[in-house]
Amino acid sequence: MSLRFALLALLRVGPLSGYDLQKQFAESVGHVWHAPDSQIYPELRKMEAEGLIAAEEQPRGERATRRVYHVTDAGDDAFTAWMRTPLAYARVRDPAHLRAAYLETTTPAAARDFLHAHVAQWESEIARWEDELTRIDAVENPMLARRLAVTARGDRDRTIAFKRFTYEGLVERARGEVAWARRGLALVDALTGPDGAWAR
Amino acid sequence: MSLRFALLALLRVGPLSGYDLQKQFAESVGHVWHAPDSQIYPELRKMEAEGLIAAEEQPRGERATRRVYHVTDAGDDAFTAWMRTPLAYARVRDPAHLRAAYLETTTPAAARDFLHAHVAQWESEIARWEDELTRIDAVENPMLARRLAVTARGDRDRTIAFKRFTYEGLVERARGEVAWARRGLALVDALTGPDGAWAR
DNA sequence: AGAGGCATGTAATATGTTACATGATTGT
DNA sequence: ACAATCATGTAACATATTACATGCCTCT
């Protein structure tokens, strides 16, 4: 359900072809809401059918065409309406915490592997998001630059402020995950005997 | 994919009917991995077809029967194998952070509503999980009590320790969400003019 | 002529959500 | 007799994942 609003958010900045959209997606909203190309193209068609966006076909070379999408008034309304609607929170469904709850059923080695992987996973996400943060500060992100170009002076600070707010939140959450997993590693150590098996 | 392992984790403690399982689920693993009844019953049938669990039909009154499931050796193997397998991390897909990234496109009032709802959402989760934590300490949780009853003395501490570890992690993460949203509220205040609209 | 990127998808499968449906049994 | 709760699902739909498929255009 959120995918279409992520797409609308990008298209509201200016028209884009499906391909461009998909590329930009990966390096902006994609950090927050991942979607593969194979989901984006069909969703664009559906949104077109529902009148939220419209395509302009542009010739590309002799035979090929590309479809450049723009947001319709209906699409704009749908987006702003969504922004005013309470979010539907999904129930918790978290594989890492599910596994954590049963770590005593496996070996200390497997428990450590899991926790190390958790640290690595979130550290790599932190790296991506911090990278985004520095690019936000430098206004290097292509999508953000386009956005700021069409944005009135007074709005720029807000746009940047909420981007920073968003990514800082993600980074902090990820740091929490890392800290949690490290505490888990300490716990495994504390529960392990000198022979490497669980202490008795 | 994780649902079946959540179910196996519960059934490994001892046989349960689909109904009992579903009830216990809601107040143990369900805090970590939510699933509605309508997903549990079919999954049990699938797991039975795959030989991970087996059902024993018990008469209930004159006409009715209940199917009591237990874990087979194959199911036990599947569970321990899963515990040793690296977790597949899903890509980030987070509606709240998606919306946060575009808060400048709505009114300050709508932004505040969203952030207040975020605080409320996570505070209610915190309450549930902290409740679980006190019940873990009191060994009041029926599922945990059953589990400890079939668990050798030395394993009890570990079982409890990892449960605590899991729920503490959830609570901390949720606290992070609350703190983040509160910072967002302060940010909205800072960006709002005396007329209640965005400052220019 | 060939590589790399532009451009757009389909198909099959898995997973999850929502709403609906039905009837038996037990305790009051 | 009736309510609560035990007990087990089906159907329809929405969403997401993975793998595969196809062909043009531009630059070297």
Side-chain angles (χ1 to χ4, degrees), chain B residues 140-160:
Chain B
E140 256 175 30
N141 180 304
M143 207 57 219
L144 183 57
R146 282 187 83 205
R147 179 115 157 272
L148 292 178
V150 292
T151 304
R153 172 70 236 309
D155 296 323
R156 293 166 151 250
D157 299 343
R158 277 196 288 289
T159 302
I160 291 177

Side-chain angles (χ1 to χ4, degrees), chain A residues 7 10-26 37 40-41 44-45 53-60 65-71 143 146:
Chain A
L7 295 172
L10 287 191
L11 284 177
R12 268 163 48 96
V13 176
L16 284 171
S17 69
Y19 184 77
D20 288 337
L21 190 55
Q22 174 237 112
K23 290 282 155 199
Q24 307 266 18
F25 195 92
D37 338 357
I40 290 177
Y41 285 112
L44 287 172
R45 290 292 186 157
I53 58 177
E56 201 188 326
E57 301 224 333
Q58 290 183 349
R60 190 173 70 97
T65 54
R66 42 186 245 136
R67 300 169 58 79
V68 176
Y69 291 100
H70 63 266
V71 178
M143 207 58 218
R146 283 187 81 205

Side-chain angles (χ1 to χ4, degrees), chain B residues 79-197:
Chain B
F79 182 83
T80 56
W82 177 72
M83 286 297 297
R84 287 161 189 278
T85 304
L87 260 200
Y89 284 87
R91 307 295 296 270
V92 176
R93 193 172 278 126
D94 180 338
H97 282 74
L98 171 60
R99 181 168 293 185
Y102 295 98
L103 282 182
E104 78 279 2
T105 68
T106 190
T107 61
R112 283 196 190 94
D113 287 348
F114 158 67
L115 291 164
H116 279 131
H118 197 74
V119 169
Q121 162 71 18
W122 288 108
E123 282 186 341
S124 92
E125 296 277 27
I126 288 171
R128 294 183 342 124
W129 288 325
E130 287 195 327
D131 223 67
E132 250 321 274
L133 275 170
T134 60
R135 259 180 293 154
I136 287 167
D137 288 338
V139 196
E140 256 175 30
N141 180 304
M143 207 57 219
L144 183 57
R146 282 187 83 205
R147 179 115 157 272
L148 292 178
V150 292
T151 304
R153 172 70 236 309
D155 296 323
R156 293 166 151 250
D157 299 343
R158 277 196 288 289
T159 302
I160 291 177
F162 284 120
K163 286 269 176 210
R164 282 204 66 90
F165 169 61
T166 301
Y167 283 95
E168 281 169 7
L170 291 169
V171 168
E172 274 160 47
R173 181 204 283 174
R175 281 198 216 287
E177 292 294 325
V178 170
W180 174 71
R182 289 201 204 284
R183 284 214 325 278
L185 285 165
L187 178 58
V188 173
D189 286 347
L191 296 173
T192 306
D195 58 347

Side-chain angles (χ1 to χ4, degrees), chain B residues 18-54:
Chain B
Y19 184 78
D20 288 336
L21 190 54
Q22 176 236 111
K23 291 283 157 199
Q24 307 266 18
F25 195 92
E27 34 185 281
S28 58
V29 223
H31 291 301
V32 172
W33 189 274
H34 167 79
D37 338 356
S38 61
Q39 206 186 348
I40 291 178
Y41 285 112
E43 185 65 25
L44 287 171
R45 288 294 186 158
K46 266 177 67 186
M47 289 164 71
E48 191 185 10
E50 292 175 37
L52 303 179
I53 58 178

